[in-house]
Amino acid sequence: MPYLFLGPWLLGAIGLTVAPMVVSLYLSFTDYDLFNEPQWVGLDNYAKLFGDDPRYLHSVGVTLRYVAWSVPSKLLLALAVALLLNALRGKGQAFFRSAFYAPSLLGASVGLALAWRAIFDTWVDTPDHALVTIVLLSAWQFGAPMVIFLAGLQQIPRDLFDAAAVDGAGWWRRLWSITLPMLSPVLFFNLVLETIHAFQAFTQAFVVSGGRGGPADSTLFYTLYLYERGFTEFRMGYASAMAWVLLVAIALITAVLFRTSRYWVFYGDER
Amino acid sequence: MKRAVVFVLCLAALGLVLYPIVWLISASLTPVEDLVANLRSLFPGRITADGYAGALEGAGGESFWTFLGNSTIVASGAVIGNVVSCSLAAYAFARLRFRLSGPLFAFALVTIMLPAHVTLIPQYVVFQRLEMIDTFVPLILPKLLATDAFFVFLMVQFMRGIPHELDEAARIDGCGPIRTYRYVVLPLSRPAMVTTAIFTFIWTWNDFFSQLIYLSSTENYTIPMGLRLFIDQTSSSSYGPMFAMSVLSLVPIGLFFLAFQRFLVAGVATTGLKG
């Protein structure tokens, strides 16, 4: 009986997730153009990625730089605004919280990315600044992590602050010794989530760069290059190899974040 | 900090957050000549609806209404698919006992984090073999099969909070799992269903990547794909329609946001939705 309810999900999990993963792993060891049968080439695609494709390595660099800039700037902004809103009690808080959240919904759209491209039209055309505009577009969508931070802030017991105030701790001291440690699980959650998403950013880079990752490949995100190889050149084997490298990279970075978490994430029930 | 200082800082942040939206609306109402001469005037001296007239004419030989209709079909299909399939799976995970419940649910959680790219190419190959490229099937079918496992998770969390006594009472009254799902759990899960429906709608409305991959002829284009036709155009005469269509594309999201902001913000706060 349970499988009656699970049916659709199970069908999707096997047919649209597990089987395609296995197939794409297989395809990553082949040359496949969608029209002829896949040709087994062993590790050639992987060797080419890391040894013989400067544009690929360049796209890795662009993506890493994007992640390294966009995630911290978005989270810092989210944290700062959440602290601000937490200090603002009453009716105003709900209004500002909603208003600041709106860009998280609008910013993912093509329409807003087109506006962004026009607002920063002089930057978009220079290789040194094009990536900055996309980082700014990402930071502008700080609302979602901010809402999560604010919910976390409201969970911190007030008597901790009262006790600290009695002991004469100032604002910075309370922030550093109470707020941040108590908030660290939420910070960790946001960090993992935003990092995973940042690696897969596509729409904004596609629109802002006019679909090509330009100027001079300065916004050639990983996913943009994968799209180019797979869906404009139909090199499906090569694109599959890129997809698997992305999966492994994201898994590794997530694992590293989890390993570091034991040094800086504080859970209340810890001994 | 003083409340007044905090309030002023909030207002300043609000200005920065709203600036791009106001800019876009004002640009969509500015005459093309003024846009070319001075693109950055936030309060245009003259106002025109020419941009909107051009936007409704559409792009690439199809009218805006075609794009709007296609987007509506895709988004509605996705909403129905997600609400039905995810609530079925969530009911099984949250309320029924079966041997593989734990491992399967753990697997569902893992798939949330999976980058779509590792499944994309074989999926594309299969849809191509079935001659379903350039139809809406590849965009809607995955939702009918609950591939957005995130919403399964959201609904499981919600359904676990419904008292088990209700299931017991239903069972004593002679309800099997199907009727318990239909008449007890489903009606009580309405907030989670609404949250799922709204987010699915907005994300599908904004979605660009899968529509870019699966839709190829202009008559099947959705609004993001219609907007994409403007990306390649460099002539400044298309600025007006481009900005106007951008505004029109955001209107449904704005309306949903205004109507459901409490659901949206609460959904993010309790589950950590990306948004």
Side-chain angles (χ1 to χ4, degrees):
Chain A
M1 190 49 118
Y3 293 97
L4 194 69
F5 291 94
L6 275 184
W9 173 79
L10 210 54
L11 204 62
I14 295 169
L16 292 173
T17 305
V18 176
M21 276 181 77
V22 174
V23 173
S24 81
L25 184 62
Y26 161 72
L27 286 178
S28 76
F29 299 112
T30 67
D31 256 347
Y32 182 46
D33 64 0
L34 208 58
F35 303 103
N36 301 302
E37 287 301 301
Q39 297 290 319
W40 183 265
V41 295
L43 288 168
D44 269 15
N45 286 328
Y46 293 94
K48 210 174 288 170
L49 280 177
F50 292 104
D52 196 24
D53 189 350
R55 278 190 88 207
Y56 171 75
L57 294 178
H58 178 75
S59 80
V60 171
V62 169
T63 308
L64 287 176
R65 241 178 317 161
Y66 171 73
V67 173
W69 282 105
S70 73
V71 174
S73 50
K74 188 185 206 171
L75 289 184
L76 270 178
L77 204 57
L79 181 60
V81 173
L83 287 169
L84 204 59
L85 285 191
N86 197 41
L88 183 79
R89 288 173 203 293
K91 260 200 150 76
Q93 189 189 58
F95 167 75
F96 283 116
R97 187 178 63 164
S98 288
F100 292 154
Y101 176 65
S104 289
L105 298 176
L106 300 173
S109 65
V110 173
L112 208 113
L114 280 171
W116 208 264
R117 188 165 80 131
I119 293 173
F120 291 97
D121 61 346
T122 48
W123 284 20
V124 166
D125 292 334
T126 51
D128 288 346
H129 297 133
L131 188 63
V132 180
T133 62
I134 305 177
V135 169
L136 286 177
L137 177 51
S138 152
W140 182 64
Q141 302 170 61
F142 67 89
M146 181 276 288
V147 169
I148 301 170
F149 276 134
L150 188 59
L153 284 173
Q154 287 163 347
Q155 299 289 319
I156 304 176
R158 290 217 42 86
D159 41 333
L160 286 179
F161 292 104
D162 296 340
V166 171
D167 289 345
W171 190 84
W172 282 109
R173 186 63 208 256
R174 274 176 296 175
L175 177 70
W176 189 249
S177 303
I178 301 174
T179 311
L180 288 182
M182 293 298 282
L183 205 58
S184 58
V186 179
L187 181 60
F188 178 65
F189 175 83
N190 274 337
L191 179 67
V192 171
L193 212 64
E194 294 296 338
T195 305
I196 292 176
H197 286 306
F199 269 101
Q200 301 171 56
F202 178 81
T203 303
Q204 287 99 335
F206 186 95
V207 174
V208 169
S209 74
R212 289 178 202 87
D217 281 347
S218 59
T219 58
L220 186 70
F221 280 32
Y222 198 101
T223 52
L224 225 57
Y225 191 50
L226 193 155
Y227 169 77
E228 187 184 308
R229 288 295 189 183
F231 292 92
T232 61
E233 298 171 5
F234 292 104
R235 295 177 59 182
M236 294 296 194
Y238 201 70
S240 296
M242 286 187 67
W244 269 89
V245 173
L246 179 66
L247 173 70
V248 171
I250 290 177
L252 277 179
I253 286 172
T254 310
V256 167
L257 288 176
F258 268 92
R259 282 302 275 263
T260 64
S261 73
R262 71 173 79 154
Y263 301 108
W264 62 273
V265 178
F266 171 79
Y267 293 102
D269 53 0
E270 234 163 0
R271 49 267 129 201
Chain B
M1 267 190 283
K2 292 270 190 303
R3 193 184 150 82
V5 179
V6 173
F7 196 76
V8 169
L9 283 172
C10 284
L11 278 181
L14 185 66
L16 282 176
V17 163
L18 293 184
Y19 177 82
I21 301 166
V22 176
W23 188 97
L24 178 62
I25 295 171
S26 101
S28 73
L29 293 166
T30 307
V32 173
E33 313 87 77
D34 294 6
L35 277 178
V36 175
N38 178 16
L39 208 57
R40 269 161 222 248
S41 137
L42 198 55
F43 300 101
R46 298 179 295 158
I47 281 180
T48 172
D50 287 356
Y52 286 88
L56 292 182
E57 278 173 28
E62 294 291 337
S63 87
F64 174 76
W65 304 109
T66 308
F67 303 146
L68 182 73
N70 291 337
S71 269
T72 308
I73 295 170
V74 172
S76 315
V79 167
I80 294 167
N82 260 354
V83 167
V84 172
S85 67
C86 295
S87 71
L88 284 169
Y91 176 72
F93 283 129
R95 308 302 269 195
L96 303 178
R97 287 160 179 275
F98 54 102
R99 188 155 4 128
L100 288 174
S101 170
L104 284 181
F105 188 55
F107 173 74
L109 293 184
V110 170
T111 63
I112 295 175
M113 294 296 176
L114 215 58
H117 308 86
V118 283
T119 55
L120 179 74
I121 287 165
Q123 284 182 16
Y124 184 88
V125 173
V126 170
F127 285 122
Q128 197 242 5
R129 293 271 159 90
L130 298 172
E131 298 187 353
M132 285 173 175
I133 303 296
D134 205 23
T135 70
F136 299 144
V137 177
L139 301 174
I140 296 174
L141 182 72
K143 315 285 179 185
L144 287 166
L145 300 180
T147 48
D148 282 350
F150 183 79
F151 295 114
V152 176
F153 170 68
L154 181 136
M155 290 199 209
V156 165
Q157 292 295 88
F158 192 89
M159 287 180 185
R160 277 183 180 154
I162 300 171
H164 272 278
E165 287 80 358
L166 294 173
D167 298 33
E168 294 292 314
R171 200 166 53 86
I172 292 165
D173 285 349
C175 288
I178 295 175
R179 286 205 291 166
T180 309
Y181 161 79
R182 172 70 187 79
Y183 294 108
V184 178
V185 174
L186 213 51
L188 289 172
S189 305
R190 187 174 288 167
M193 314 264 281
V194 173
T195 306
T196 299
I198 303 163
F199 274 106
T200 304
F201 179 87
I202 292 176
W203 289 350
T204 314
W205 195 264
N206 279 340
D207 174 44
F208 179 62
F209 189 55
S210 44
Q211 298 175 3
L212 175 70
I213 280 168
Y214 285 117
L215 302 179
S216 50
S217 55
T218 325
E219 65 192 45
N220 289 330
Y221 272 14
T222 53
I223 292 179
M225 289 297 287
L227 281 172
R228 192 214 159 196
L229 293 171
F230 289 103
I231 296 178
D232 303 323
Q233 296 183 9
T234 43
S235 79
S236 45
S237 62
S238 63
Y239 275 173
M242 177 179 88
F243 290 136
M245 203 196 278
S246 296
V247 173
L248 292 176
S249 80
L250 298 176
V251 166
I253 302 175
L255 292 178
F256 262 74
F257 173 72
L258 290 178
F260 295 110
Q261 41 161 317
R262 290 201 172 277
F263 277 101
L264 291 167
V265 173
V268 175
T270 52
T271 62
L273 270 162
K274 167 175 84 95

